Amino acid sequence: MKSDTISAIATPRGEGGIGIVRISGSHALSVADAVFRARSQKALAEAASHCAVYGCVVERDGTPVDEGLALVMRAPHSYTCEDVVELQCHGGQSVMRRVLARTWEAGARAAERGEFTKRAFLNGRIDLAQAEAVMAVVEARSDRALKMAQGHLAGHFSDRIRAMRHQILGMVAHIEAAIDFPEDEVDDVLDVDLTRDITRLAEEIRGILSTANAGRILRDGLLTAIVGRPNVGKSSLLNALLREERAIVTDIPGTTRDAIEEYADVGGVPLRIIDTAGIRATEDTVERIGVERARDYAARAALVLALFDRSRPLGEEDEAILSLLKKKQAILLLTKADLPPKTTREDLLARVKAMGVVSASGSMPQVIEIAAQAKSGVDRIGFDVLTDAVCRIAYQDAAEGDEADFVADARQADALRRAEEHLRAAILTMEQEMGLDFVSIDLRSAVEALGELTGETVGDAILDEIFSKFCIGK
């Protein structure tokens, strides 16, 4: 129940210098007092809000569990708008489990997933878009992803949605006034103004929706497969993008036999990179399985980085790679740009054209010459160009720098699409002269769809689904 006092470990699993057990609810102070003894011997109920109290968590018989701090935050000036106490102790797993168990013995119950944030939403401290941004901040894998999440958490996205919702409600009020007072003969003027204003709002929503793909990529990462024949430099590219020696690099073909998956921050765009086995004909059973997996990853990836050895002539294995790229979003990389060339950019483009390889958009894929480890002393040749290409693919029609207003997930995109559809329906209704009362129905439906973004018109089932994705303790 909402009135229950809840508790959970608020720091990640594992060992650390500090671990936090968070308690929230109307009895948070009394629960904390039952398990925490201040060095001053004063009760936590006497402590001022937002003050840290030094002391010790104790067993029922007074035996110390661990020393630490109790941070008191009184309602409504807390994360949940309820009384909150955070017990900050050493971050060992045994210590944390015991401190948490003591809070349950004192009357708190285990918090559900996302329940602290859900209470913040239900108590009006944040709206639903801000609540969803909490986990996005925690899970952000790049600076741009963090900027988008922080913008949503600060309310920039919600403010824009509320402003549109307010404008539509104003239109509904004008329509209902015109229906209630037909003698004023304002229908003609109202029709012109409504058509103009509804069209403008529909276009604004369409503009916001154009950021949905970029927002999804920033939040979840762009599934990217690195493919190429053996010994072409796939593992070297992965290590260069990660800026660490993650994959084994040798001159022996077939070193990578299974897929290696990692996240890389490329120009602020998180790439979920899969380094695959070299694609070639082989009698080795294990390597052959790796090759088949490489083909499968290339088929499923949203972006393929296809590598070709610039220091060797193109061969049948390279043509097999190119055949995987038809109708795919791909960047062609000519590796080992620090060595004398035997395959030029023009050679590769000519082979691409001859094989009829075009991207998902119908254009020719971009070719970039790179060197992950240049013997000439100039490291990372071509990586700035590669970074720019990745950013263009990720952002498409979205404007770099406006991440705070990006659509963050599929739920938000769906609500916006329905809002736009209702606005377009309202315009069609007016064009067909079906009556202002029918226009009002369409507009109210748009208002309801937009309300789902901020949580003003969302049902309990959707709320439960959203917060079930949170970690316990948040």
Side-chain angles (χ1 to χ4, degrees):
M1 294 177 61
K2 184 179 176 182
S3 59
D4 291 349
T5 296
I6 58 175
S7 63
I9 297 173
T11 42
R13 289 181 178 271
E15 298 177 353
I18 298 174
I20 298 174
V21 171
R22 176 182 286 166
I23 311 167
S24 180
S26 57
H27 300 296
L29 287 167
S30 62
V31 169
D33 263 328
V35 305
F36 186 85
R37 295 288 180 270
R39 177 62 65 89
S40 66
Q41 300 301 314
K42 292 183 179 180
L44 291 178
E46 300 178 32
S49 183
H50 293 78
C51 285
V53 179
Y54 173 68
C56 187
V57 176
V58 296
E59 299 284 5
R60 289 180 178 179
D61 61 3
T63 304
V65 175
D66 192 22
E67 66 176 342
L69 299 173
L71 180 60
V72 176
M73 292 165 280
R74 297 182 184 274
H77 305 295
S78 71
Y79 182 68
T80 61
C81 289
E82 302 171 335
D83 285 342
V84 172
V85 179
E86 290 186 353
L87 301 177
Q88 303 184 2
C89 304
H90 294 97
Q93 295 186 54
S94 295
V95 171
M96 286 290 94
R97 285 196 296 266
R98 187 60 203 140
V99 173
L100 180 61
R102 286 290 293 121
T103 66
W104 295 343
E105 293 169 2
R109 68 162 173 82
E112 299 173 358
R113 287 183 175 273
E115 190 168 3
F116 292 100
T117 303
K118 186 176 184 179
R119 290 186 176 205
F121 164 71
L122 293 174
N123 290 328
R125 181 180 172 273
I126 56 177
D127 62 36
L128 191 55
Q130 290 174 296
E132 290 178 294
V134 171
M135 279 309 297
V137 168
V138 173
E139 296 173 346
R141 294 184 175 90
S142 72
D143 289 342
R144 295 190 191 215
L146 181 59
K147 182 179 179 181
M148 181 179 73
Q150 288 176 331
H152 278 237
L153 185 59
H156 297 306
F157 181 79
S158 299
D159 288 345
R160 191 171 181 184
I161 298 302
R162 273 192 288 269
M164 290 191 294
R165 200 164 181 262
H166 178 74
Q167 292 175 59
I168 299 173
L169 285 172
M171 297 176 195
V172 172
H174 278 86
I175 288 174
E176 293 182 351
I179 293 172
D180 291 341
F181 304 100
E183 65 276 6
D184 290 345
E185 298 181 353
V186 296
D187 284 9
D188 291 342
V189 176
L190 184 61
D191 285 353
V192 173
D193 290 343
L194 277 178
T195 301
R196 180 196 63 205
D197 293 343
I198 295 173
T199 301
R200 176 180 52 77
L201 282 173
E203 290 303 317
E204 183 175 354
I205 291 176
R206 172 53 51 186
I208 298 174
L209 275 170
S210 69
T211 70
N213 186 63
R216 178 188 57 78
I217 289 171
L218 292 181
R219 180 169 178 142
D220 300 331
L222 183 64
L223 182 59
T224 304
I226 300 177
V227 300
R229 66 187 184 185
N231 222 27
V232 75
K234 298 184 298 299
S235 296
S236 294
L237 175 63
L238 176 66
N239 291 341
L241 292 174
L242 296 176
R243 297 175 177 83
E244 64 175 272
E245 296 299 314
R246 173 64 178 85
I248 298 173
V249 178
T250 73
D251 292 332
I252 303 172
T255 304
T256 302
R257 295 192 168 200
D258 200 358
I260 299 175
E261 182 174 338
E262 291 286 352
Y263 274 93
D265 180 348
V266 178
V269 176
L271 298 187
R272 181 183 159 199
I273 296 182
I274 301 171
D275 177 23
T276 63
I279 297 177
R280 66 170 177 174
T282 176
E283 298 300 322
D284 186 294
T285 302
V286 176
E287 187 179 356
R288 187 165 62 249
I289 294 172
V291 170
E292 290 305 314
R293 288 184 178 180
R295 293 177 181 276
D296 180 58
Y297 281 122
R300 292 193 289 115
L303 172 64
V304 179
L305 301 180
L307 276 58
F308 303 89
D309 192 338
R310 181 175 176 269
S311 66
R312 297 163 63 187
L314 292 172
E316 292 182 1
E317 292 171 346
D318 295 306
E319 291 190 351
I321 303 299
L322 287 172
S323 67
L324 300 176
L325 306 182
K326 294 180 179 180
K327 302 298 182 181
K328 296 290 296 183
Q329 188 73 262
I331 300 175
L332 311 186
L333 302 177
L334 274 173
T335 63
K336 306 178 185 180
D338 54 315
L339 300 178
K342 292 187 177 178
T343 295
T344 66
R345 182 176 180 276
E346 290 70 24
D347 294 335
L348 182 55
L349 283 173
R351 191 69 61 91
V352 167
K353 187 174 181 180
M355 293 182 63
V357 177
V358 293
S359 68
S361 62
S363 61
M364 292 275 285
Q366 183 175 357
V367 177
I368 302 172
E369 297 184 0
I370 66 167
Q373 295 176 332
K375 296 179 181 178
S376 62
V378 182
D379 293 332
R380 299 172 62 86
I381 295 172
F383 275 74
D384 289 342
V385 181
L386 174 59
T387 297
D388 290 342
V390 168
C391 290
R392 283 197 303 273
I393 289 171
Y395 276 73
Q396 295 180 1
D397 297 329
E400 295 185 40
D402 293 340
E403 289 86 357
D405 290 330
F406 282 10
V407 179
D409 58 32
R411 186 192 75 84
Q412 293 179 352
D414 178 66
L416 284 166
R417 287 190 190 96
R418 284 186 283 112
E420 185 195 9
E421 288 171 0
H422 290 307
L423 292 178
R424 300 290 185 190
I427 296 171
L428 182 61
T429 298
M430 295 181 68
E431 291 175 348
Q432 295 177 344
E433 300 181 352
M434 294 175 63
L436 289 176
D437 48 346
F438 291 103
V439 177
S440 179
I441 293 173
D442 291 327
L443 294 180
R444 285 189 178 277
S445 296
V447 168
E448 184 173 351
L450 291 176
E452 292 179 18
L453 295 166
T454 54
E456 292 159 286
T457 59
V458 72
D460 290 340
I462 294 178
L463 290 179
D464 290 342
E465 180 182 354
I466 290 171
F467 289 107
S468 69
K469 299 175 184 177
F470 280 51
C471 57
I472 296 173
K474 196 57 185 166

